[in-house]
Amino acid sequence: MEDARHVDMGKRPDPPTGGSATELAESAWAISLFCTGVGAGIGAVLPLLARWLLSLPWAPLEGPAELLTSIPEPALTLGTVAVGALGGLLLGLTAVHESLTVRVSGTHLTLTIRDTTREFARGEIAALFRDGKQLVVLAPDGLELAREHCGLPWRRLREALAEHGYAWAEEDPYRAEFRRWVPGTPGLPEGADPLLRARAQARKHEDDAEDARELRGELLRLGVVVRDEGGRQYWRAVRRG
């Protein structure tokens, strides 16, 4: 484990001289069209589903199904397709807003998501790696500078980073140091346990996702790195000089 960490994080290539920055972003048109098409498809199937429910001896949502099928065709199908497409479009726009854009140059790495842009100097970054569907940026002391959901092509992202002299780790160099959190876990820095309790509660509700992000930031300020696996939280403490 120590050898792998030395190779991934200790031998970074020199930054290239000159050259333009590389920007990677998911296609807004592709996401929007895909979601709109899925929504329209669901809308087209809805009248058929309603009629099938009414054909059963007993069916849930019988009242709404009767109300829906009382609308004559083709107005019914055209209406449900239109509503489904609109819902899909709104979902697609939300997905575009939540998507990650990465801009890489020989001197800086810039991450943009949810109207928030963070820029890191190359000297601040020891390595980057993939953790499931998340892109993680590590500092030389082991602190996580960023952890964001990433829908970009991983191969292209690795190539862009390599072109500009950034180190890529095939796995988290500190993965073996993570411990599962349970309330009252010993060894945590003072104040970390209540933050992890609050974050565990926030993660149960999708509406509290921003709270969970803020609590992760508070934990990082205490020197505690958190990663999620299923419904569980795992943590490690950063040893600062």
Side-chain angles (χ1 to χ4, degrees):
M1 187 67 186
E2 293 298 327
D3 291 340
R5 186 181 304 178
H6 176 73
V7 170
D8 290 334
M9 302 181 66
K11 295 184 178 179
R12 289 182 292 171
D14 294 331
T17 57
S20 59
T22 302
E23 184 166 305
L24 301 175
E26 295 183 68
S27 171
W29 280 106
I31 295 173
S32 299
L33 287 174
F34 174 78
C35 292
T36 301
V38 171
I42 293 174
V45 172
L46 194 57
L48 300 176
L49 178 61
R51 294 189 186 97
W52 175 74
L53 287 174
L54 292 177
S55 69
L56 300 176
W58 177 88
L61 304 175
E62 184 175 353
E66 288 179 344
L67 180 62
L68 186 65
T69 55
S70 66
I71 302 173
E73 291 287 5
L76 173 58
T77 299
L78 291 176
T80 54
V81 168
V83 171
L86 179 60
L89 176 60
L90 294 175
L91 181 62
L93 293 175
T94 301
V96 170
H97 179 69
E98 296 284 327
S99 64
L100 177 67
T101 298
V102 179
R103 188 174 189 273
V104 192
S105 74
T107 58
H108 290 83
L109 174 75
T110 305
L111 306 180
T112 302
I113 189 170
R114 305 180 192 92
D115 296 328
T116 300
T117 297
R118 288 182 291 168
E119 185 175 78
F120 307 100
R122 185 179 180 275
E124 297 179 77
I125 300 171
L128 300 94
F129 66 90
R130 175 183 181 179
D131 186 8
K133 294 182 179 181
Q134 295 179 319
L135 173 66
V136 183
V137 185
L138 279 179
D141 64 358
L143 199 68
E144 286 187 1
L145 298 174
R147 176 183 283 267
E148 299 290 354
H149 183 276
C150 180
L152 299 170
W154 290 102
R155 181 177 178 180
R156 179 68 190 100
L157 178 59
R158 289 196 300 269
E159 290 173 349
L161 291 166
E163 287 170 7
H164 292 283
Y166 292 82
W168 179 267
E170 291 304 320
E171 62 177 10
D172 186 350
Y174 298 96
R175 189 177 183 87
E177 296 183 14
F178 281 94
R179 299 164 55 191
R180 182 175 176 179
W181 173 80
V182 293
T185 297
L188 281 165
E190 185 178 355
D193 192 66
L195 290 174
L196 284 164
R197 290 174 187 263
R199 188 172 181 275
Q201 190 64 32
R203 290 186 66 241
K204 294 179 182 179
H205 307 285
E206 188 174 341
D207 293 342
D208 294 333
E210 190 57 35
D211 285 343
R213 287 176 59 84
E214 291 181 3
L215 289 165
R216 178 191 290 277
E218 292 293 328
L219 286 161
L220 287 172
R221 279 187 276 275
L222 293 178
V224 176
V225 178
V226 186
R227 65 182 299 272
D228 302 313
E229 191 171 314
R232 301 178 295 275
Q233 296 184 110
Y234 291 81
W235 68 277
R236 65 174 174 85
V238 176
R239 302 183 183 92
R240 291 171 169 172

